[in-house]
């Protein structure tokens, strides 16, 4: 199921005809307010500058507001300090769902024929992350700590000129996933040893990192402020703490082979049986990554498997299937696919 999130905006102010990007300005009472639309995409441009990990739960976008920064200027491609704030503050404005619609206040108004940039993140706030106060439309810096909470994280960027065609539609904020999805499934290769999985966890990860959602540079190293790129900076590798720890009792699927790995038992609870990491190299140069688990028949015996080296990229889901064969052999299968999102049809009424 492909997840596409769409937010629609109702604009109640009549639009004035425009021909091109010119220097002509219109008095504010005649200007339409800026409204936002959004959708969730699978693809994202990324440049990893380190390794790191974050645990999250899947949230629908309307469950929390998103934050957006904006700037505009008479010339395209200028850095933030050379333009003007779109909103009444240099801090991110919160666009929140009130149960029936999406709103932000106070309203911002288009300046006809000027050039705009918007950079956004979702959710607006959370326990797992902190938006650094230096963040602005050209650089959103977010610190993430696994032990503090479980929020998903998405970002969006848009730039363009306030022509008639632009102001007559919603600003299309295309939200992209910053995290990698992680699934762990378990299966038995025969039907002679029925068993239940009772506990599972991962170790050998970097639990803290900083996401930078910023601009790109061209081949000559010159800043291109009208672009967007995600970078991750990670902190210390942790070889011993147990992350994503799950406890319970689930029957392990039998007769699972490499040709039908989707029949294996998903371990994690919740939406799509998935947890999340920030982009990193699993079993990378900083240390090995292990998945450990217990079963009913094994009692307190811990089975530990080293995961193969894999680069976890944003916007992708990584499924590891642990196949337990006779004589205690455990094989690891890996499946990788693009992110899938959820479609929500909601009108955003800007009042």
């Amino acid at each position: 199921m492909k997840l596409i999130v769409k937010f629609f905006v109702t604009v109640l102010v009549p639009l004035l005809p425009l021909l091109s990007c010119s220097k002509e300005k219109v008095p504010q009472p005649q200007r339409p307010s800026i409204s936002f639309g959004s959708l969730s995409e699978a693809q994202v441009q990324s440049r990893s500058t380190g390794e790191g990990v974050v645990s999250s739960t899947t949230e629908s976008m309307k469950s929390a507001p998103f934050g957006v920064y904006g700037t505009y200027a008479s010339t395209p491609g200028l850095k933030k300090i050379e333009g003007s704030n779109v909103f009444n503050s240099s801090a991110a404005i919160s666009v929140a769902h009130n149960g029936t619609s999406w709103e932000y206040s106070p309203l911002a108004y288009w300046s006809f024929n000027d050039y705009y940039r918007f950079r956004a993140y979702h959710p607006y706030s959370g326990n797992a992350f902190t938006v650094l106060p230096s963040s602005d439309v050209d650089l959103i810096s977010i610190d993430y700590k696994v032990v503090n909470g479980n929020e998903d994280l998405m970002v969006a960027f848009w730039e363009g000129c306030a022509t008639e065609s632009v102001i007559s539609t919603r600003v299309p904020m295309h939200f992209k996933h910053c995290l990698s999805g992680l699934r762990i499934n378990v299966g038995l290769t025969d039907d002679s040893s029925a068993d239940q999985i009772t506990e599972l966890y991962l170790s050998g990860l970097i639990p803290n990192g900083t996401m930078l959602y910023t601009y790109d540079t061209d081949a000559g190293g010159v800043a291109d402020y009208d672009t967007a790129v995600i970078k991750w900076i990670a902190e210390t590798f942790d070889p011993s703490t147990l992350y994503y720890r799950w406890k319970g009792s689930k029957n392990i699927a039998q007769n699972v082979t490499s040709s039908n790995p989707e029949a294996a038992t998903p371990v994690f609870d919740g939406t799509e049986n998935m947890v999340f990491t920030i982009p990193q190299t699993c079993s990378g140069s900083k240390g090995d990554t292990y998945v450990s688990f217990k079963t009913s028949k094994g009692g307190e015996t811990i089975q530990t498997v080293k995961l193969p080296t894999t680069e976890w990229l944003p916007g992708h889901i990584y499924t590891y299937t642990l196949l337990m064969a006779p004589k205690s052999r455990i094989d690891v299968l890996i499946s990788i696919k693009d992110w899938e999102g959820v479609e929500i049809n909601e009108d955003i009424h800007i009042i």
Side-chain angles (χ1 to χ4, degrees):
M1 176 178 66
K2 188 173 182 178
L3 295 178
I4 298 181
V5 181
K6 295 182 179 178
F7 305 130
F8 301 90
V9 181
T10 301
V11 178
L12 302 178
V13 183
L15 305 177
L16 298 178
L18 297 172
L19 296 178
S20 63
C21 267
S22 66
K23 299 297 183 180
E24 181 181 357
K25 306 296 181 192
V26 177
Q28 178 157 315
Q30 299 178 4
R31 294 194 246 159
S33 61
I34 298 173
S35 55
F36 295 96
S38 65
L39 59 89
S40 177
E41 293 184 329
Q43 300 300 320
V44 63
Q45 181 184 10
S46 67
R47 288 183 180 177
S48 177
T49 57
E51 297 176 281
V53 61
V54 57
S55 172
S56 302
T57 57
T58 300
E59 301 283 347
S60 63
M61 288 204 57
K62 69 179 183 179
S63 67
F66 63 88
V68 60
Y69 299 88
T71 189
Y72 68 97
S74 59
T75 303
L78 297 180
K79 58 185 175 180
K80 188 260 182 186
I81 61 173
E82 297 172 323
S84 301
N85 288 327
V86 171
F87 307 107
N88 66 337
S89 169
S90 59
I93 192 78
S94 175
V95 182
H97 196 271
N98 68 1
T100 57
S101 62
W102 291 82
E103 300 175 354
Y104 75 93
S105 179
L107 284 180
Y109 296 87
W110 289 109
S111 177
F112 291 151
N113 302 324
D114 277 343
Y115 294 87
Y116 282 76
R117 280 203 308 280
F118 296 99
R119 198 179 303 266
Y121 64 95
H122 180 278
Y124 182 72
S125 61
N127 294 322
F129 69 88
T130 302
V131 181
L132 300 185
S134 59
S135 296
D136 61 26
V137 72
D138 290 331
L139 172 60
I140 299 178
S141 300
I142 296 179
D143 284 346
Y144 225 114
K145 296 183 184 300
V146 168
V147 297
N148 288 348
N150 297 303
E151 289 88 26
D152 197 355
L153 186 60
M154 294 191 291
V155 292
F157 178 79
W158 181 88
E159 56 84 25
C161 180
T163 61
E164 179 180 13
S165 61
V166 167
I167 68 173
S168 63
T169 59
R170 297 166 298 279
V171 176
M173 302 301 293
H174 297 272
F175 282 89
K176 304 171 185 293
H177 286 276
C178 302
L179 308 175
S180 303
L182 180 62
R183 295 188 179 119
I184 305 293
N185 299 340
V186 180
L188 296 165
T189 60
D190 63 0
D191 60 1
S192 63
S193 55
D195 204 349
Q196 295 79 40
I197 187 164
T198 58
E199 184 175 353
L200 183 141
Y201 51 83
L202 275 75
S203 58
L205 296 166
I206 300 176
N208 305 326
T210 301
M211 185 208 69
L212 307 177
Y213 189 44
T214 185
Y215 52 85
D216 207 351
T217 55
D218 62 20
V222 177
D224 181 2
Y225 295 102
D226 289 339
T227 61
V229 63
I230 294 174
K231 301 178 181 180
W232 280 100
I233 300 175
E235 297 181 16
T236 304
F237 179 81
D238 183 354
S240 57
T241 303
L242 311 183
Y243 293 102
Y244 313 120
R245 192 167 190 171
W246 174 90
K247 287 187 175 183
S249 179
K250 292 185 178 182
N251 291 328
I252 302 174
Q254 299 175 316
N255 294 317
V256 179
T257 66
S258 58
S259 61
N260 69 333
E262 66 281 351
T265 300
V267 175
F268 296 123
D269 299 320
T271 303
E272 296 198 22
N273 307 107
M274 186 163 60
V275 295
F276 298 85
T277 74
I278 65 172
Q280 66 172 292
T281 301
C282 165
S283 293
S285 60
K286 294 186 177 181
D288 293 329
T289 304
Y290 296 93
V291 57
S292 301
F293 63 94
K294 298 178 183 179
T295 67
S296 292
K297 286 188 173 181
E300 292 303 307
T301 301
I302 300 174
Q303 304 275 1
T304 298
V305 182
K306 176 186 172 182
L307 296 181
T309 301
T310 313
E311 186 177 1
W312 291 340
L313 298 174
H316 293 76
I317 298 170
Y318 298 82
T319 301
Y320 290 87
T321 301
L322 310 181
L323 287 183
M324 291 188 288
K327 298 182 180 179
S328 301
R329 190 180 84 247
I330 302 176
D331 297 326
V332 181
L333 306 179
I334 305 175
S335 172
I336 303 171
K337 69 174 185 177
D338 289 345
W339 203 280
E340 297 177 354
V342 174
E343 183 173 2
I344 341 174
N345 293 317
E346 295 281 352
D347 287 338
I348 305 179
H349 300 286
I350 306 301
I351 61 174

